[in-house]
Amino acid sequence: MNESRPESMSSFWMPFTNNRDFKAHPRLLVSAEGMYYKDVDGNAVLDGTAGLWCVPCGHAQPKIVAAVREMVGQLDFAPTFQMGHPAAFDLAERLMDYTNHKFGHVFYTNSGSESVDTALKMALAYHKARGDAGRTRLIGRERGYHGVGFGGLSVGGIGPNRKAFGPLLPGVDHLPHTHNLAKNAYSRGEPEHGAELADELERIVALHDPSTIAAVIVEPVAGSTGVLIPPKGYLKRLRELCTKHGILLIFDEVITGFGRLTTPFAVDYFDVEPDMMTTAKGLTNGTVPMGAVFSKKFIHDAFMDAPAGIELFHGYTYSGHPLACAASLATLEVFQEQGILDHAREIQPYWEDAVHSLRGLPHVIDIRTIGLVAGIELASIPGKVGARAFAAFKQAFADGILIRTTGDIIALSPPLVLEKKHIDELFGKLATVLKNLD
């Protein structure tokens, strides 16, 4: 791989990036191992974000690298339309084991966005298969992020992500978000106030009639909008209301899945079972793009009761790609063999204390923690929302740590293999950045 600066950066239209600012002052990564990236100048950069929430086992895990290398030499591609390959079926069984058989089936995609759109389509098609085709309405939540497909944007609730793309899907409504800075600031784990916000679903049901609503989709912990943690009892109440009204409940676990909360999934952490669960990111430790939708058996079986033929007219060329399956199988082995979830649980209190040690530093107005994830909210510069946190991001990178920002919130989600020395380095450097921030 070329580790020198590219001759030109003009042709690549970068995603979710201030292209003009970046290309004037590029941040180029050329390699990664364990907890660290290396930039084009040879500097080590501590990864405080697991890439984009997607490298729970740390970078360049030898078992995962070897599995992908072996598979690309054996089977570089195989379609899964009307045929298959063994690894796709082996992985499905292993994933059922990993969920402790809370779900019955898995459908492969290539990203979180595709997983969300797949789950929404499954929800609509499920009700139609049961003769309940009037259930077409989808319910998301304000400040929710569900990827960038038209379905995910429609149920998502982040204004800047939506405003350039027209009216999106019809028949979509939104629950209110649960963030309450006045009552829940500096919370550790689930905040105390706000469970009653789940009852807003009753208002939406009364407005539209339950017979028109197909599904509710929420992130158990909203990540990309700034680490918004559900109040105690909130998710259980949503589950009760969805069951009461015959509405499917979908958890978007693209971020929370595969250990982020120190449990396999948020389903396990909160002890609430949805009808479907969307995943991606940590599924392959970020090595090869892959996503997956987990569904309860009754959803799958509703399609199998149809006349013989293709039961669901949906899928992707790369669904269950051999390299992705190999990477995911190896990732699950690394989780087990290295006891990564046990380690994450052991180090979580040290992580939590380190995050909250930033309380009282300039501009910090809230800190939120759960599992190995943290949100540090900064006061905005009047008229320049997001500018302060972005300045922190750029200075942090220059100082050798990678953080992520959304608006004026710093979001941290390190690889789960981090040690106390990495925590000390991350927060020692971040504290210095915050102390010197305008």
Side-chain angles (χ1 to χ4, degrees), residues 21-45:
D21 179 85
F22 176 87
K23 291 172 183 179
H25 308 283
R27 293 168 292 277
L28 296 170
L29 305 172
V30 297
S31 66
E33 183 177 2
M35 285 293 301
Y36 290 89
Y37 282 105
K38 184 174 75 173
D39 73 7
V40 72
D41 296 317
N43 300 308
V45 181

Side-chain angles (χ1 to χ4, degrees), residues 366-412:
D366 188 24
I367 294 172
R368 305 180 282 276
T369 52
I370 188 169
L372 288 182
V373 60
I376 302 157
E377 188 160 354
L378 308 180
S380 298
I381 298 171
K384 297 181 180 180
V385 174
R388 177 165 279 145
F390 192 60
F393 162 76
K394 292 199 285 187
Q395 186 58 53
F397 189 88
D399 291 347
I401 56 172
L402 180 62
I403 64 175
R404 177 164 167 73
T405 65
T406 172
D408 273 308
I409 300 164
I410 296 170
L412 299 173

Side-chain angles (χ1 to χ4, degrees), residues 66-78 85-87 90 322-323 326:
V68 174
R69 182 182 291 122
E70 180 180 357
M71 182 60 83
V72 75
Q74 173 186 333
L75 185 65
D76 58 349
F77 175 77
H85 61 91
D90 292 343
L323 270 64

Side-chain angles (χ1 to χ4, degrees), residues 80 83-95 106 108 325 329:
T80 52
M83 58 190 71
H85 61 91
F89 296 93
D90 292 343
L91 175 59
E93 296 302 324
R94 288 291 310 278
L95 288 171
V106 62
Y108 298 125
C325 291
L329 283 164

Side-chain angles (χ1 to χ4, degrees), residues 7 60 162 249 253 295 326 337 354 406:
E7 293 182 6
R162 297 163 54 92
L249 178 60
E253 292 229 32
S295 78
E337 292 171 2
T406 172

